[in-house]
């Protein structure tokens, strides 16, 4: 079938069924679709959560000799978990964007409570 009979979007019928690697639209939802909009909204929401996490680190942490604000994971977890239960995922996203630094791949409550998180 070239077109999903259960979809109300008639514009999908004219688009090719498959794209190939190297194609700029490969792995992306059709432009203007509700799926694309949901993705944009989710990206915006996660960005706001990362900003909020950085503000929490700045307000609860202490300034070190190097001028960077640092906090332990245990202290951050206790503070931030009342705001969001996704503290580890948001920390990983913040590190991916170069906003924070901490040792290790993943942080675990209890085990990694003494790991220092530095706001860059």
């Amino acid at each position: 079938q070239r077109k999903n009979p259960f979809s109300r979007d008639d514009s999908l019928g004219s688009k090719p069924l498959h794209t190939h690697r190297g194609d700029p639209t490969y792995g992306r939802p059709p432009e203007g679709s509700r799926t694309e909009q949901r993705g944009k909204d989710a990206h915006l929401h996660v960005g706001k959560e990362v900003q909020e996490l950085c503000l929490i680190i700045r307000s609860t942490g202490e300034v070190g000799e190097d001028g960077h604000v640092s906090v332990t994971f245990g202290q951050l977890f206790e503070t931030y978990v009342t705001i969001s239960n996704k503290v580890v995922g948001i920390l990983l996203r913040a590190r991916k964007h170069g906003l924070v630094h901490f040792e290790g791949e993943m942080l675990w409550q209890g085990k990694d409570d003494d790991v220092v998180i530095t706001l860059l």
Side-chain angles (χ1 to χ4, degrees):
Q1 292 179 337
R2 276 201 61 77
K3 181 176 159 187
N4 181 350
F6 303 105
S7 174
R8 288 180 274 163
D9 189 0
D10 291 334
S11 65
L12 294 176
S14 62
K15 298 203 184 241
L17 274 179
H18 300 286
T19 54
H20 301 283
R21 288 186 195 272
D23 185 355
T25 62
Y26 181 76
R28 302 209 176 262
E31 272 190 55
S33 68
R34 293 192 321 214
T35 302
E36 180 189 41
Q37 187 59 48
R38 282 191 299 270
K40 287 179 180 179
D41 293 345
H43 184 73
L44 199 72
H45 177 75
V46 169
K48 288 179 183 177
E49 284 205 33
V50 168
Q51 286 178 344
E52 186 174 10
L53 177 74
C54 291
L55 290 174
I56 297 294
I57 293 172
R58 183 173 285 127
S59 66
T60 60
E62 297 177 10
V63 179
E65 292 176 9
D66 60 356
H68 293 293
V69 178
S70 297
V71 65
T72 63
F73 176 65
Q75 183 182 4
L76 179 64
F77 188 89
E78 290 301 318
T79 304
Y80 194 77
V81 79
T82 59
I83 299 166
S84 173
N85 62 352
K86 300 179 284 289
V87 64
V88 175
I90 299 301
L91 266 173
L92 292 173
R93 179 63 63 103
R95 180 170 65 177
K96 178 180 176 183
H97 290 289
L99 300 173
V100 299
H101 172 75
F102 56 89
E103 294 297 323
E105 285 294 312
M106 181 67 95
L107 296 173
W108 303 96
Q109 183 186 10
K111 177 184 164 216
D112 295 320
D113 284 351
D114 295 329
V115 171
V116 176
I117 299 166
T118 305
L119 185 62
L120 304 174

